[in-house]
Amino acid sequence: MTSLASLPPAAIPPEDEALRPEVKAFLAKQLEDMPPERRARSWMGSDPAFSRALGQRGWLGLSLPKRYGGAERGFFARFVIAEELLAAGAPVAAHWITDRQSGPLILRYGTEAQRAFYLPKISAGEIFFCIGMSEPNSGSDLASVRTRAEPLPGGGYRLNGRKIWTSNAAICHYMIALVRTSGTPDDRQKGLSQVIIDLRQPGIAIRPIRDLSGDAHFAEVTFDDVLMPAEALIGEEGAGWEQVNAELAFERSGPERILSSMVLVDTWLGYLKSLPAHGRDDIVLVGRLAAHLAALRALSLSVTARLVAGDSPVVHAALVKDLGTTYEQMIPQAIAAAIAADPGASPPDALLRTLAYTVSMAPSFSLRGGTREILRGMIARGIGLR
Amino acid sequence: MTDSLIADSADRLMAEVVTPAAVRGLKDRASAAPVWMQLAESGFLDALVAEAQGGAGLSAAETLPVLLAAGRHALPLPLAATMAARTAIAAARETIPEGIIAIAAAARADDGALVAQVPAGEFADMVLVPDGDGAILLAADAAHREATGEGTFCRMRWRAANGPRLPGFDALLCGARIETAEMVGAMEALCATTLRYANDRAQFGKPIGKFQAVQQQLAVMTELVHGARAAAHLAAAAPGSMEAVAAAKVTIGEGAMEVAAIAHAVHGAIGMTEELDLHLLSDRLRRGRLRYGSEPYWAERLGRAVLAAPDATLLDFVRTRVFF
Ligand SMILES: Cc1cc2nc3c(=O)[nH]c(=O)nc-3n(C[C@H](O)[C@H](O)[C@H](O)COP(=O)(O)OP(=O)(O)OC[C@H]3O[C@@H](n4cnc5c(N)ncnc54)[C@H](O)[C@@H]3O)c2cc1C
């Protein structure tokens, strides 16, 4: 039996906290005219120009070294900026995954040439990456991926296969994909590698998939005899599985696993504040929302401190994500109940539209980035049950 | 002392002194003296008292490990309340009395008498009772005591309330913070016990911990314990903040219910026996939730503060009012 180490509390260093007012001021101006139902898309809403504007301000690539165009500020600086972007509902999807995990991945596993080529452009908000893990027949069972990068005799690879649910593929320049470079699907984790695919080359088709809210943020991407140079490989051939898992620690512990429903919360609070009086049930719900936000934020900060220390807190990150997405999913249901508790109440249309969007997308919160059941399985392994 | 030194010595002390047998005895109204004497000798009583007043001058955050350890062993005596009370009394330049000091959750005037709800009041020599915008220190002997019979609190009635006053001492806030910290300790112990049991108990030819349905429940339990601990740290770092303590009482109270339910579900029938120590911990959580205001009470206070605040976002409110 092993119990999972408890993490000490962590605080944002003052020099990183100091970034906040400037970010707030910038966002207040940029988002002035964006209605809440659009802002509710949060890290699902994209605007490449907005992402580039962030890059110009030095707010991307915060954890990357200066020699690669980064700010060399680390994960807490990123935490502050991420919190503000998400709370405001800024359209961050274009650069989000790139900034969160592709940049750190290339820094950690890339060759000097790869770092020098990609990282400055990432920091400037000029290039965007998407994540090609899932396939039509490989969801939770990621080790079963079939997309194949066949090593060619003279070096380089020939790529065939299909990725699906790839967020923002249509506006991205590159995909970092988990593919098989040797063996067969029966070899499972062995023989998998990560490759950087330039999405603008021949043999690649990107078909956007419309989601139930009417957006088409994700896509199916097919590869048909795509030729890639040897430099497409990132990290070690055959080490794809370990690399993907390290990446997931960045993906799962951040504020985006807590704040996905925050625009709805703040829109509802705005409505409540406009009312002359409040029922006790509403006040209690407001208090619960604040209380859980506080505890989750504290936990997320503790995991961020482990990232800063150079650890890869995969199990703790899974834990934050499961707790955080449970909170994110509770919010739209609870607010729906609160809004219509009085059948005669007439809440603003924008609030109702924000609610409709958030309710419809909420199921995805515990799917994207690994399902609830898979995360709990990882935690069970972390406590020695598997 | 460093954090882990305090944690280690608190753990050792509680394991030695606060045995399941001792806890059962105290629940059956045995004398508190034998256990209390050993706790008092430990030196923790004045851990929070300022150095200038003869204490160790530690902060609430630094002594959190002591409260967690007390909770892990379901200590029924108000050790943490006594520690906090002694600190407040010393700070008010009053003489620190001997013995066990409980902190009342609430008090009301009744026909010229003062009636208070006092968690662990049955063991107390003295009680800090809310009074105006502070508290008043009253001798337990002078009160008529009436235990509820289920351990949550004692109703105590003083005909005349005479004692030193501690202006500004918020008994409810202090009690709630202490209670949540000990609840987290009890949640930790429930989680560890349940994990051990899941590895030991076999059905269908394998440990029940090998079944995915059981694994998922234990994973949830682990998550809730980590979340609760984070909340306890927030409150310990800002013991004077209503918002931080409210956040802890709400989230820990909600988590406690789920943790206790999972612990019992995984234990099956054996968990329902008097003989197993499990119920000492789950009962500790029941009492903790009932003491010093349950989740709706604190959520309402917190919610009112949010609605009255000028902050643009809930995150702004939480950042600036809960985190220090
Ligand atoms: C909005 C959104 C964006 C996404 N973006 C991307 C992206 O950019 N890139 C990318 O690669 N993928 C992306 N995904 C895909 C995502 O990673 C998958 O949805 C996820 O891994 C689950 O796979 P699946 O949908 O095929 O479900 P399945 O794996 O088929 O699971 C269906 C159900 O079965 C359960 N289940 C499966 N296996 C087990 C098991 N062993 N034990 C217990 N229960 C199990 C699951 O928990 C789930 O409840 C995105 C998904 C969404 C919803």
Side-chain angles (χ1 to χ4, degrees):
Chain A
M1 185 193 91
T2 45
S3 81
L4 195 58
S6 76
L7 299 178
I12 299 174
E15 65 271 20
D16 294 326
E17 190 57 47
L19 286 166
R20 202 181 295 272
E22 208 188 325
V23 181
K24 274 189 186 299
F26 170 77
L27 291 174
K29 203 141 157 219
Q30 290 273 323
L31 304 178
E32 213 170 23
D33 301 322
M34 203 190 264
E37 66 266 31
R38 288 241 45 100
R39 291 189 290 109
R41 277 155 175 79
S42 174
W43 55 291
M44 303 281 271
S46 62
D47 178 351
F50 177 83
S51 293
R52 275 193 296 276
L54 291 180
Q56 277 156 16
R57 273 168 184 72
W59 292 340
L60 300 182
L62 284 150
S63 59
L64 301 178
K66 288 207 170 104
R67 66 179 185 284
Y68 300 125
E72 215 168 302
R73 295 287 301 256
F75 293 103
F76 279 120
R78 182 176 182 278
F79 191 99
V80 169
I81 293 176
E83 272 194 330
E84 291 304 323
L85 290 168
L86 295 167
V92 295
H95 74 271
W96 196 253
I97 287 168
T98 312
D99 184 61
R100 177 179 70 192
Q101 58 199 95
S102 311
L105 175 94
I106 292 170
L107 179 67
R108 180 153 167 195
Y109 296 110
T111 61
E112 189 49 43
Q114 285 171 325
R115 293 171 176 181
F117 180 76
Y118 294 111
L119 298 182
K121 297 193 186 94
I122 288 178
S123 301
E126 285 166 9
I127 56 173
F128 307 125
F129 287 70
C130 55
I131 299 297
M133 295 191 194
S134 307
E135 297 182 3
N137 290 312
S138 299
S140 299
D141 185 12
L142 188 57
S144 70
V145 291
R146 283 158 192 276
T147 296
R148 206 174 174 87
E150 192 73 48
L152 299 173
Y157 303 89
R158 186 198 317 275
L159 181 69
N160 279 292
R162 188 146 48 122
K163 293 291 177 183
I164 197 167
W165 315 128
T166 316
S167 294
N168 309 308
I171 56 162
C172 283
H173 307 84
Y174 300 96
M175 172 192 283
I176 295 186
L178 181 69
V179 298
R180 182 157 290 288
T181 43
S182 68
T184 69
D186 290 339
D187 291 321
R188 307 283 300 162
Q189 288 87 341
K190 277 188 293 188
L192 299 180
S193 305
Q194 281 187 300
V195 289
I196 302 181
I197 303 166
D198 181 345
L199 292 172
R200 311 281 156 98
Q201 54 189 318
I204 299 179
I206 300 175
R207 183 180 68 85
I209 303 170
R210 193 158 293 284
D211 71 31
L212 47 67
S213 77
D215 293 349
H217 95 283
F218 49 28
E220 183 183 54
V221 185
T222 29
F223 308 104
D224 191 6
D225 281 335
V226 177
L227 293 176
M228 300 191 299
E231 301 79 66
L233 180 74
I234 172 101
E236 244 174 276
E237 198 172 291
W241 186 256
E242 291 74 33
Q243 293 176 203
V244 158
N245 279 292
E247 198 178 340
L248 290 172
F250 297 113
E251 180 174 343
R252 287 178 176 152
S253 63
E256 65 264 56
R257 304 303 181 177
I258 300 172
L259 299 176
S260 297
S261 300
M262 263 315 127
V263 171
L264 171 61
V265 170
D266 289 321
T267 307
W268 181 54
L269 287 179
Y271 166 59
L272 284 183
K273 285 182 178 183
S274 75
L275 301 176
H278 307 117
R280 182 166 194 252
D281 288 351
D282 285 352
I283 300 169
V284 166
L285 176 56
V286 171
R288 287 187 66 218
L289 297 179
H292 285 285
L293 176 57
L296 290 165
R297 181 174 192 259
L299 202 57
S300 175
L301 283 170
S302 294
V303 178
T304 302
R306 300 322 305 155
L307 292 175
V308 171
D311 289 356
S312 184
V314 188
V315 179
H316 287 98
L319 183 151
V320 173
K321 180 175 182 273
D322 193 27
L323 280 178
T325 53
T326 300
Y327 171 68
E328 294 180 332
Q329 290 177 334
M330 170 274 272
I331 289 170
Q333 302 302 359
I335 291 181
I339 283 180
D342 168 7
S346 175
D349 296 354
L351 171 57
L352 290 172
R353 284 195 294 264
T354 305
L355 175 67
Y357 175 81
T358 311
V359 169
S360 72
M361 289 310 283
S364 72
F365 300 165
S366 61
L367 297 175
R368 58 187 186 187
T371 70
R372 169 160 290 140
E373 290 72 23
I374 294 303
L375 296 178
R376 290 179 180 174
M378 292 176 58
I379 296 165
R381 185 172 292 121
I383 56 177
L385 287 173
R386 304 175 54 199
Chain B
M1 273 200 271
T2 71
D3 241 32
S4 71
L5 265 177
I6 296 175
D8 290 349
S9 68
D11 268 334
R12 232 175 303 117
L13 172 72
M14 300 294 167
E16 206 180 295
V17 178
V18 191
T19 59
V23 174
R24 281 191 174 76
L26 288 166
K27 289 183 81 171
D28 289 341
R29 324 290 296 294
S31 158
V35 173
W36 185 257
M37 244 149 58
Q38 297 185 70
L39 294 178
E41 276 166 19
S42 69
F44 282 126
L45 286 193
D46 286 336
L48 292 158
V49 173
E51 278 177 295
Q53 287 142 13
L58 297 179
S59 66
E62 288 167 314
T63 52
L64 178 63
V66 180
L67 278 60
L68 293 173
R72 280 197 284 274
H73 295 272
L75 171 68
L77 302 179
L79 171 67
T82 303
M83 288 166 62
R86 291 174 72 90
T87 310
I89 294 165
R93 301 275 188 268
E94 298 286 349
T95 317
I96 300 179
E98 290 287 305
I100 300 178
I101 312 174
I103 294 178
R108 62 183 164 82
D110 178 32
D111 289 346
L114 188 67
V115 183
Q117 311 246 51
V118 190
E122 57 270 45
F123 305 109
D125 299 303
M126 305 289 292
V127 183
L128 259 181
V129 183
D131 178 46
D133 64 351
I136 180 168
L137 183 65
L138 300 175
D141 270 353
H144 171 74
R145 287 196 238 206
E146 198 182 294
T148 54
E150 44 68 79
T152 305
F153 32 63
C154 209
R155 293 209 181 81
M156 301 181 69
R157 186 184 178 93
W158 287 267
R159 236 187 320 231
N162 291 320
R165 277 168 203 284
L166 309 186
F169 182 81
D170 189 335
L172 190 67
L173 194 68
C174 181
R177 175 179 52 79
I178 288 170
E179 209 57 36
T180 54
E182 295 197 16
M183 287 170 77
V184 172
M187 288 162 77
E188 288 178 346
L190 274 175
C191 194
T193 305
T194 308
L195 188 52
R196 206 175 312 122
Y197 186 75
N199 280 311
D200 289 348
R201 169 74 173 169
Q203 283 295 286
F204 299 97
K206 54 184 175 182
I208 55 169
K210 293 287 166 208
F211 296 110
Q212 195 184 43
V214 174
Q215 290 176 352
Q216 301 256 315
Q217 296 196 64
L218 282 161
V220 171
M221 204 173 185
T222 303
E223 292 173 13
L224 291 168
V225 169
H226 280 255
R229 202 190 291 112
H233 278 295
L234 282 177
S241 155
M242 180 283 282
E243 292 86 349
V245 173
K249 197 75 171 69
V250 171
T251 56
I252 292 168
E254 289 184 15
M257 284 188 270
E258 220 176 319
V259 163
I262 294 173
H264 276 285
V266 172
H267 273 85
I270 194 88
M272 301 307 293
T273 60
E274 202 299 312
E275 188 188 346
L276 208 74
D277 300 332
L278 193 70
H279 63 89
L280 300 180
L281 293 164
S282 50
D283 191 53
R284 179 68 191 84
L285 294 180
R286 175 188 63 81
R287 277 178 279 143
R289 285 190 62 215
L290 290 169
R291 290 173 171 178
Y292 304 105
S294 64
E295 302 89 49
Y297 169 80
W298 288 100
E300 184 178 355
R301 278 184 70 172
L302 190 55
R304 283 194 193 284
V306 171
L307 290 170
D311 298 300
T313 67
L314 188 65
L315 178 65
D316 284 339
F317 177 90
V318 163
R319 263 194 321 103
T320 54
R321 305 273 286 263
V322 179
F323 286 77
F324 291 88

